[in-house]
Amino acid sequence: MMRRSPRPSITRLITRRLILVAGLLMVAQVILVAMHYGWDGKRLGVRVAANEAERIADHVSTGPDGRPVLALPEEHVERYLHHRGAYAFRVIDAGGAEIAAMNSGLFPVPLPDPAAAPDLFWRVVPGPEGETRVLVQRFDRVAPGLLVAIAIAADPDRLAWAALLHEVIDHVAIPMVPLALLLLAVNVYAVRSSLHPLARSAREAATLDARRGGLRLSIGGDLPREVHALVSAVNAALGRADEVLRFQRDFTANVAHELRTPLAVLLLQLDEIGGPAAEAAKRDIQAMARLVDQLLRVAQIEGMSADPPDEVDLAEVGRAIIQQLAPLALDQGREVEFRDEGAAIILGHRDAIAGAVRNLVDNALRATPMGSVVTVSAGPGPVIEVSDQGPGIDPAMREDLFSRFAQGDTRTKGSAGLGLAIVAKTMEIHDGSVTVTTDHPGGGTRFRLTFPDPIGPEMRS
Amino acid sequence: MRVLLVEDNERLSSLMRDGLARGGFTVDVFGRLEDAESAVDTVDYDLILLDLGLPDGDGMDWLKRFRRRSRDVPVLVVTARGGLTDRVAGLDTGADDYLVKPFEMDELLARCRAILRRPGASLSTVLATGNVTLDTTSRQVAVAGSQIDAPRRETDLLEVLLRRSGQVVPRAVLEERLYGFDDEVTPNALEAHVSRLRRRLSDAAADVSVHTVRGVGYLLRSTPLP
């Protein structure tokens, strides 16, 4: 069921939440950064102009005559060529001479004297078409007394946004993403490793066979408290299931006594009476006793699964059944035989298996003609077969042959039908299977009981 | 033959007592283990018929205690518990046979007689099925009253089969009884003895036959009337 509708793992749930929290934190950080610049337009303006000044200063070098020279690459020039009314720059050397300039008409104010200029000069000058921002920065590191002036009257290249993005990457993404990833990795590891005992208990529980009693999940010392509580609760439930099975078994024994004793009284009473009517009634009582036996057996098999399985020698079971039923078969003018073809020793409930085989032999004796043989053969391997020389079973009937009280042909009437249900139930508690085949058209039915996990024929000695 | 019957269902115990009395047994009936306990201390019974679910305890437990006192009295458990495991447990505890309710009087009588025929019981040493008899002391075999000669091995074979007449005797049991440690046993030795015994019995017009149950053993029973 679990497999059909995949559920997210706890690791995944936690990871997902951590990613969400990290994402929210980053958004908050971005908002903080944006607010930081938004409240104070000057900061972003200075940042944008300073970036631009930096870019230009980077291309200033000392010329052959010892004076600074600007060699601005093509892509830098384009901005000033395309937006003549928006961006302007001037580069001035220590002596106040202009080395290079573009759109210098945009500068609304005179520039400070290079000798007396501060490291950074910033001014916002209101004009008829909006404000013009002017920045003058000293670049003593490029050339002593070198000034780069930038004027920005408008921002069609969205330099402000680029600067903001740059800030976000610098102050949010670079410090936070590795930290978030590290946290995620540590969390996944921590969650996985602390869920390990739970996964182990779950694997153990999955292999438990609920039809078998006396089973518990192991409570190891390393189980965390929460998992321990779950495992203990599961074990308590298994214990209650065992109690139910035990009760059922005791109940069955009591019912057996309550039903069989009055039948015994009736039978002996009819013995006293005698006569053909009494004989007929006796036959009815015997049939009823058989039905009681089988009903009890169905209930018993369920109860039996509460006991731990024992080693069962299938050859010994087959031989014992034949030994037990041979006189009955001879009374009915039939024969029985046993063949050991290297049967295995299996783990199971001897009583239930013997009951199933006995039911099959009972049915086979009824189906096989006078003078013919019913064969029980054990092996090879964890297999026991009962075959007769009767008319066989219609393939259409075989399907529901094993459902309780299935009434198909003459073979599945009355107690025989219940008998097959017992066989099916027995194989179910053993995780085995039962198949029925007909050897050739119109004859010979073969019931084959196959058990799992043989201990192996080599252990038979 | 004095029989102790321990059964708490009064109707059943009185019917069983009447039937057993007609079969020639003298029967004492008790419905409680306590009373049965004091009865076995004062009377030497030839056979005990024991129900398991009794008002003052479990018959199986009582049987265990009784057997610990090394009593040689045969016990036939007559019970409503019909599982094979119950049977095996019963026989392990020291019961000589196990009869599940309901049963017919004839079967009860046959089981009682069969138990009393077994070694250790103080019944006559003549075993009989149909018109065949075997005196276990003098080793004389007779069919319809007239004596026939049979070699030692065939007589031994017949004895084992007669003691368990009507039941399958496993090969292993027969081989163990018939052949000593030093005997060279060929795989077909038992078959050869059985077939010679069969011929001898049919030559003497015996109304019993030895059936082969392939893969298990042999069974001797009266030939049903045609």
Side-chain angles (χ1 to χ4, degrees):
Chain A
M1 276 302 193
M2 294 265 290
R3 225 159 268 168
R4 226 170 289 163
S5 62
R7 290 167 189 280
S9 69
I10 289 191
T11 316
R12 208 165 134 191
L13 285 177
I14 290 181
T15 307
R16 202 185 287 165
R17 272 167 215 183
L18 281 175
I19 289 176
L20 189 71
V21 168
L24 283 176
L25 277 177
M26 280 195 232
V27 167
Q29 188 85 357
V30 166
I31 291 173
L32 277 178
V33 169
M35 273 162 65
H36 178 70
Y37 287 106
W39 268 324
D40 188 355
K42 179 188 162 195
R43 271 175 182 280
L44 190 60
V46 171
R47 173 57 54 199
V48 170
N51 283 349
E52 214 43 35
E54 193 91 30
R55 259 159 44 118
I56 289 168
D58 281 350
H59 297 286
V60 175
S61 54
T62 311
D65 55 352
R67 293 187 57 201
V69 184
L70 176 68
L72 207 54
E74 195 72 13
E75 69 266 21
H76 276 47
V77 179
E78 268 176 23
R79 176 170 303 153
Y80 296 93
L81 283 176
H82 289 154
H83 307 292
R84 287 183 177 280
Y87 307 106
F89 74 86
R90 293 176 70 189
V91 182
I92 295 158
D93 72 2
E98 192 175 83
I99 296 166
M102 281 186 85
N103 314 334
S104 47
L106 274 183
F107 285 92
V109 286
L111 299 185
D113 175 36
D119 282 351
L120 190 71
F121 168 91
W122 170 257
R123 183 128 329 151
V124 180
V125 185
E129 291 170 34
E131 292 169 338
T132 301
R133 292 137 207 266
V134 176
L135 175 128
V136 182
Q137 194 172 352
R138 281 177 86 98
F139 286 93
D140 286 334
R141 62 177 163 84
V142 178
L146 183 78
L147 292 186
V148 177
I150 301 288
I152 300 176
D155 191 9
D157 267 1
R158 309 233 174 267
L159 292 179
W161 285 111
L164 191 60
L165 184 70
H166 203 256
E167 288 299 291
V168 166
I169 289 171
D170 272 6
H171 291 111
V172 181
I174 290 174
M176 283 193 75
V177 168
L179 186 67
L181 287 178
L182 183 70
L183 267 177
L184 274 180
V186 168
N187 264 294
V188 167
Y189 171 75
V191 169
R192 280 244 173 100
S193 59
S194 60
L195 284 180
H196 189 69
L198 185 63
R200 200 180 49 222
S201 297
R203 271 199 304 279
E204 204 186 337
T207 56
L208 282 191
D209 184 346
R211 284 164 304 184
R212 261 180 220 144
L215 296 172
R216 299 290 181 275
L217 296 176
S218 48
I219 300 186
D222 66 331
L223 284 189
R225 186 152 36 98
E226 294 82 351
V227 179
H228 185 275
L230 178 65
V231 168
S232 302
V234 168
N235 280 348
L238 286 172
R240 285 193 292 278
D242 282 353
E243 268 167 42
V244 171
L245 281 174
R246 248 193 304 282
F247 167 79
Q248 189 177 18
R249 197 175 33 190
D250 294 348
F251 177 78
T252 306
N254 291 337
V255 168
H257 195 268
E258 298 301 319
L259 287 175
R260 282 181 179 144
T261 303
L263 285 178
V265 172
L266 267 175
L267 206 56
L268 294 186
Q269 192 81 66
L270 287 165
D271 258 338
E272 301 262 300
I273 295 166
E279 283 304 314
K282 267 162 73 175
R283 276 197 299 279
D284 288 343
I285 289 171
Q286 297 286 21
M288 193 163 151
R290 209 162 42 238
L291 205 60
V292 165
D293 278 355
Q294 293 190 318
L295 280 170
L296 290 174
R297 186 154 283 279
V298 172
Q300 236 170 10
I301 292 167
E302 316 243 4
M304 216 174 272
S305 56
D307 297 330
D310 273 332
E311 289 186 9
V312 180
D313 181 348
L314 291 178
E316 187 274 327
V317 170
R319 200 174 282 121
I321 296 298
I322 291 299
Q323 185 178 347
Q324 198 184 348
L325 293 180
L328 181 78
L330 289 169
D331 283 346
Q332 299 171 357
R334 276 98 175 152
E335 276 189 61
V336 285
E337 62 172 12
F338 172 74
R339 286 191 201 148
D340 184 357
E341 296 178 352
I345 292 176
I346 61 154
L347 281 181
H349 303 279
R350 191 199 179 280
D351 207 354
I353 297 169
V357 176
R358 188 167 33 242
N359 271 305
L360 289 176
V361 175
D362 263 343
N363 288 356
L365 282 174
R366 258 173 274 178
T368 210
M370 283 279 270
S372 65
V373 183
V374 169
T375 305
V376 172
S377 59
V383 166
I384 190 159
E385 282 186 348
V386 177
S387 43
D388 64 43
Q389 297 169 358
I393 299 172
D394 181 355
M397 298 290 177
R398 282 184 212 154
E399 203 142 299
D400 62 348
L401 201 55
F402 292 100
S403 57
R404 206 168 289 188
F405 283 119
Q407 300 269 337
D409 56 10
T410 48
R411 291 199 49 153
T412 57
K413 268 187 194 143
S415 67
L418 194 53
L420 291 178
I422 291 169
V423 173
K425 188 86 213 162
T426 302
M427 296 319 288
E428 191 192 309
I429 69 163
H430 284 95
D431 291 325
S433 64
V434 51
T435 52
V436 53
T437 49
T438 294
D439 285 351
H440 49 86
T445 308
R446 180 187 299 269
F447 284 92
R448 184 183 173 91
L449 308 183
T450 310
F451 297 87
D453 303 322
I455 295 174
E458 68 279 2
M459 285 185 65
R460 295 193 60 184
S461 54
Chain B
M1 290 289 111
R2 192 146 182 198
V3 175
L4 170 65
L5 171 58
V6 191
E7 164 65 62
D8 64 318
N9 183 301
E10 279 178 27
R11 291 249 294 141
L12 186 61
S13 60
S14 85
L15 284 163
M16 284 171 77
R17 184 183 51 212
D18 295 350
L20 288 164
R22 278 197 301 277
F25 293 93
T26 311
V27 188
D28 293 341
V29 180
F30 294 102
R32 300 168 62 84
L33 287 171
E34 201 187 315
D35 303 334
E37 182 81 35
S38 40
V40 290
D41 283 340
T42 47
V43 183
D44 280 332
Y45 287 104
D46 297 299
L47 174 66
I48 297 172
L49 303 183
L50 179 66
D51 183 24
L52 293 185
L54 289 158
D56 60 339
D58 188 85
M60 206 78 97
D61 296 337
W62 181 82
L63 180 58
K64 225 177 279 172
R65 289 201 303 276
F66 179 70
R67 278 301 183 225
R68 232 174 274 146
R69 288 188 272 162
S70 72
R71 295 293 200 94
D72 221 15
V73 187
V75 174
L76 169 59
V77 170
V78 180
T79 180
R81 293 182 207 163
L84 198 69
T85 325
D86 296 322
R87 265 177 240 233
V88 172
L91 297 177
D92 282 351
T93 309
D96 294 77
D97 201 356
Y98 201 98
L99 183 61
V100 180
K101 297 173 184 174
F103 50 85
E104 290 189 57
M105 205 58 229
D106 290 346
E107 183 166 14
L108 178 64
L109 286 171
R111 296 283 191 105
C112 290
R113 290 193 184 113
I115 289 181
L116 292 170
R117 267 205 307 265
R118 287 184 193 171
S122 53
L123 201 67
S124 96
T125 51
V126 177
L127 305 170
T129 297
N131 61 5
V132 177
T133 56
L134 187 155
D135 188 317
T136 53
T137 322
S138 67
R139 318 299 297 165
Q140 294 293 328
V141 180
V143 176
S146 52
Q147 207 167 300
I148 60 167
D149 288 329
R152 183 179 68 84
R153 287 263 161 76
E154 282 171 50
T155 311
D156 291 350
L157 175 63
L158 184 61
E159 180 185 346
V160 181
L161 291 172
L162 279 173
R163 281 190 189 278
R164 304 212 192 167
S165 147
Q167 298 171 44
V168 180
V169 186
R171 287 188 67 96
V173 171
L174 289 169
E175 280 171 350
E176 192 195 330
R177 295 283 172 83
L178 259 59
Y179 310 107
F181 274 121
D182 302 330
D183 286 335
E184 193 88 10
V185 186
T186 60
N188 292 325
L190 185 60
E191 276 79 0
H193 281 119
V194 169
S195 82
R196 259 177 267 146
L197 177 64
R198 272 191 189 127
R199 204 170 318 128
R200 207 175 298 279
L201 289 172
S202 73
D203 286 352
D207 61 358
V208 300
S209 50
V210 179
H211 296 268
T212 306
V213 180
R214 267 192 296 276
V216 183
Y218 296 93
L219 170 153
L220 178 139
R221 70 206 297 264
S222 319
T223 315
L225 296 173

